[in-house]
Amino acid sequence: YRRDEIDRTHYPVFHQVEGVRVFDEESIFNELPPIKSNSLLPDQSVAALIQSLVKEDSQSQHAGAYQEASVRVLADLVGKTSELLRHLFGVNVPLRWQACYFPFTQPSLEAEVFFRGEWLEVLGCGILQHDFLKGSLPSNPATSLNMAWAFGLGLERIAMILYDIPDIRLFWSKDPRFLQQFDAQGEIKPFQPFSKYPYVNRDMSFWLPTDGFEANGMYSLIREIAGDLVESVKLVDVFEDSSTGNRSQCYRITYRSMERSLTDEEVNGLQERIRCESSQRLGIKLR
């Protein structure tokens, strides 16, 4: 479970395929090519990003051999996973890489695929943190240079792109109109929309507390109350009172069921609960 923003591509529960490959010093320098010779990298901008991330990494700054090893391992990871994404989505898929943060890898990157008019993260990866690797390997000579790369591939995101599924909430639906569209033999067919139910917007404006405000906490609270009836939550306005310095934000909550029409009474009840709970638990002052 994760506290995350609410939209059609994020969900607090997700499934992931993970991969790890461990290298010793001999395999790094004998099997992995220098970054300039790695033919699997998408382009030179990605190579420059890798070199920049390794250079900034505090651990790799202390030894030239470690820095070169990090570059080779990270380049191998990006090259291999780029090929994997091309295999899944086609050789011409719009793909971009950028720096990111993950708790178990450093340096870290994420890959995004262009889907339905926006960039969608599908894969996170990086060099496995040294302490995690050290704790999982058998005893090695103190001079041995061991390193590993790791990646995680979000299954719902992959399926959304392959089947052209517009909303991640559908994967938790038990509606047979959704479930019966998938072939047991694995044949991929474009998703046929079956829900034409309208959305309902409600805005919530409030003054921010002086001791800080964490939007993800609000997202988690909204999911707790309204569950999958919330399609998205977006920040639509920011205001600062010049006389007091107080800051205000306005969020637009979009309600829509995938299976039925929502009534105004139902939506208003959810909205009022969200307003009351937010005021009590998040320390905000409603406007």
Side-chain angles (χ1 to χ4, degrees):
Y1 180 88
R2 63 181 178 189
R3 289 155 49 127
D4 213 336
E5 59 188 291
I6 300 176
D7 59 32
R8 293 187 179 191
T9 65
H10 288 84
Y11 201 78
V13 182
F14 62 101
H15 299 85
Q16 184 164 283
V17 170
E18 298 180 345
V20 177
R21 185 181 180 188
V22 181
F23 302 87
D24 58 24
E25 185 170 358
E26 182 179 357
S27 61
I28 291 174
F29 289 101
N30 291 342
E31 298 176 19
L32 303 184
I35 191 168
K36 293 181 179 179
S37 305
N38 192 319
S39 60
L40 296 181
L41 290 178
D43 53 55
Q44 288 302 309
S45 65
V46 178
L49 175 61
I50 291 171
Q51 290 174 313
S52 174
L53 288 175
V54 171
K55 188 176 181 180
E56 294 172 2
D57 179 40
S58 59
Q59 198 165 12
S60 69
Q61 291 175 2
H62 296 100
Y66 189 95
Q67 188 172 108
E68 173 61 22
S70 298
V71 169
R72 292 190 184 209
V73 169
L74 202 56
D76 182 69
L77 167 61
V78 172
K80 294 291 197 322
T81 50
S82 293
E83 285 295 288
L84 171 61
L85 295 176
R86 293 190 191 103
H87 172 75
L88 287 171
F89 304 127
V91 294
N92 296 319
V93 61
L95 173 67
R96 74 178 183 184
W97 288 89
Q98 58 187 11
C100 194
Y101 166 78
F102 299 108
F104 302 110
T105 57
Q106 183 182 346
S108 303
L109 300 99
E110 66 179 8
E112 297 179 328
V113 171
F114 199 67
F115 173 66
R116 287 183 167 262
E118 61 184 14
W119 289 100
L120 178 65
E121 178 197 346
V122 293
L123 182 146
C125 66
I127 295 179
L128 196 65
Q129 292 263 21
H130 183 68
D131 287 344
F132 293 111
L133 180 61
K134 183 179 178 181
S136 63
L137 291 175
S139 57
N140 289 290
T143 57
S144 176
L145 177 69
N146 291 311
M147 201 170 287
W149 56 238
F151 71 86
L153 193 66
L155 292 183
E156 285 89 351
R157 298 278 180 85
I158 300 298
M160 287 181 73
I161 297 171
L162 291 177
Y163 290 90
D164 197 25
I165 295 173
D167 196 310
I168 199 169
R169 293 176 299 166
L170 280 165
F171 291 107
W172 301 90
S173 171
K174 296 181 179 179
D175 194 313
R177 293 173 296 175
F178 176 72
L179 299 177
Q180 291 175 2
Q181 292 196 34
F182 299 93
D183 191 300
Q185 304 303 317
E187 182 182 356
I188 296 176
K189 300 177 181 178
F191 171 70
Q192 299 299 317
F194 58 85
S195 174
K196 301 294 184 181
Y197 299 112
Y199 64 85
V200 181
N201 284 334
R202 292 289 186 272
D203 290 352
M204 184 171 73
S205 298
F206 50 85
W207 295 105
L208 299 178
T210 56
D211 57 351
F213 172 74
E214 177 57 57
N216 279 351
M218 182 185 68
Y219 298 147
S220 181
L221 184 150
I222 292 173
R223 283 198 186 276
E224 177 186 325
I225 294 173
D228 287 356
L229 295 182
V230 175
E231 180 175 276
S232 66
V233 179
K234 294 182 179 180
L235 177 64
V236 294
D237 187 52
V238 177
F239 170 74
E240 182 170 346
D241 188 330
S242 58
S243 62
T244 63
N246 292 333
R247 294 184 301 121
S248 168
Q249 292 183 346
C250 177
Y251 285 84
R252 178 158 297 154
I253 304 175
T254 299
Y255 297 88
R256 185 192 334 234
S257 170
M258 308 299 296
E259 300 167 353
R260 59 186 175 84
S261 293
L262 300 177
T263 65
D264 278 341
E265 181 181 9
E266 183 177 14
V267 171
N268 290 340
L270 291 171
Q271 183 74 3
E272 186 58 30
R273 283 188 59 196
I274 290 171
R275 286 172 55 86
C276 292
E277 290 291 327
S278 297
S279 177
Q280 295 174 10
R281 292 160 56 177
L282 302 179
I284 62 175
K285 184 178 180 181
L286 297 169
R287 298 182 64 186

